[in-house]
Amino acid sequence: MVGGPYFDVKLGRKDGLESKAHKVRGNVPMPNQTVHDIHGMFKKNGFSLREMVALSGAHTIGFSHCKEFSDRLFGSKADPDINPRFATALKGLCKNHTVDDTIAAFNDVMTPGKFDNMYFKNLKRGLGLLASDHLLIKDNSTKPFVELYATNEKAFFEDFARAMEKMGTVGVKGDGEGEVRRRCDHFNNLNV
């Protein structure tokens, strides 16, 4: 629908019987974590560093609330590596983020509604929104993958599709441990 790669989604996967927000931390990367910490989460689920970077490319669509990246913009910890024009625009957008926590910015400022490799090109230009995204171009272990995907969209799409198929096999529940959801827009016992 937004131009990204095709990948198979296996049917019949069982999901947990309940969802609790407090169980997310430590299992989902946070926007200010280091590459090492994020890779640790992926590694415990059998993902390589390359697969982690490919999956990070999902940030080519979507948005993030200002509270997730405002520390890169304001105060003594403002990030000097962020593109100055981008920082100025974000400061204007997020100036009232402490009053209105719904204010958000697109993760990919150039092609926000298209799944492409622009996210990786943006990282090279200082246009990474989240600190964790920006670190992918700064860290010597992940930089080669960012550079590959920035210049080779086909490689990104192939790696992303494979990693998404693999993601669908992580944490599959056995009999009695979960349920096959009949409706994907409704979560039983969702407690956020």
Side-chain angles (χ1 to χ4, degrees):
M1 290 175 54
V2 292
Y6 173 86
F7 54 90
D8 289 326
V9 176
K10 294 183 180 184
L11 302 177
R13 176 189 166 105
K14 292 185 177 180
D15 291 312
L17 298 171
E18 64 180 10
S19 297
K20 303 277 186 187
H22 73 273
K23 292 183 179 180
V24 171
R25 193 167 295 282
N27 292 302
V28 175
M30 303 311 285
N32 293 313
Q33 285 184 296
T34 66
V35 167
H36 176 78
D37 290 342
I38 294 171
H39 183 235
M41 282 183 216
F42 279 89
K43 191 174 182 180
K44 76 179 181 184
N45 287 304
F47 289 90
S48 69
L49 196 60
R50 182 175 180 144
E51 290 168 324
M52 180 198 80
V53 175
L55 290 168
S56 296
H59 288 179
T60 192
I61 56 174
F63 62 88
S64 295
H65 291 98
C66 292
K67 68 180 179 178
E68 303 299 342
F69 58 87
S70 61
D71 59 329
R72 295 188 71 207
L73 304 172
F74 303 108
S76 61
K77 292 184 180 181
D79 189 342
D81 290 333
I82 195 167
N83 178 296
R85 288 180 58 205
F86 186 46
T88 299
L90 289 172
K91 285 178 185 178
L93 174 71
C94 297
K95 65 181 176 238
N96 294 319
H97 80 279
T98 57
V99 177
D100 182 355
D101 64 0
T102 65
I103 300 172
F106 289 117
N107 291 330
D108 172 356
V109 68
M110 304 302 270
T111 58
K114 183 177 180 193
F115 195 101
D116 56 18
N117 66 338
M118 186 58 73
Y119 162 81
F120 296 105
K121 293 177 183 181
N122 288 344
L123 294 181
K124 294 176 70 171
R125 297 178 187 137
L127 300 174
L129 187 62
L130 303 176
S132 56
D133 291 336
H134 177 67
L135 289 176
L136 294 177
I137 191 66
K138 299 285 286 180
D139 190 286
N140 288 332
S141 67
T142 52
K143 185 176 181 175
F145 303 121
V146 171
E147 290 176 340
L148 169 66
Y149 297 148
T151 59
N152 188 336
E153 188 173 75
K154 184 175 187 275
F156 165 50
F157 278 21
E158 289 172 355
D159 287 356
F160 181 83
R162 270 194 303 276
M164 284 299 295
E165 287 177 356
K166 185 174 179 178
M167 182 73 76
T169 67
V170 173
V172 175
K173 307 290 183 199
D175 288 336
E177 297 178 316
E179 65 183 350
V180 176
R181 296 231 170 100
R182 303 287 180 222
R183 290 180 51 195
C184 295
D185 64 337
H186 180 266
F187 298 97
N188 294 333
N189 300 319
L190 182 64
N191 191 5
V192 179

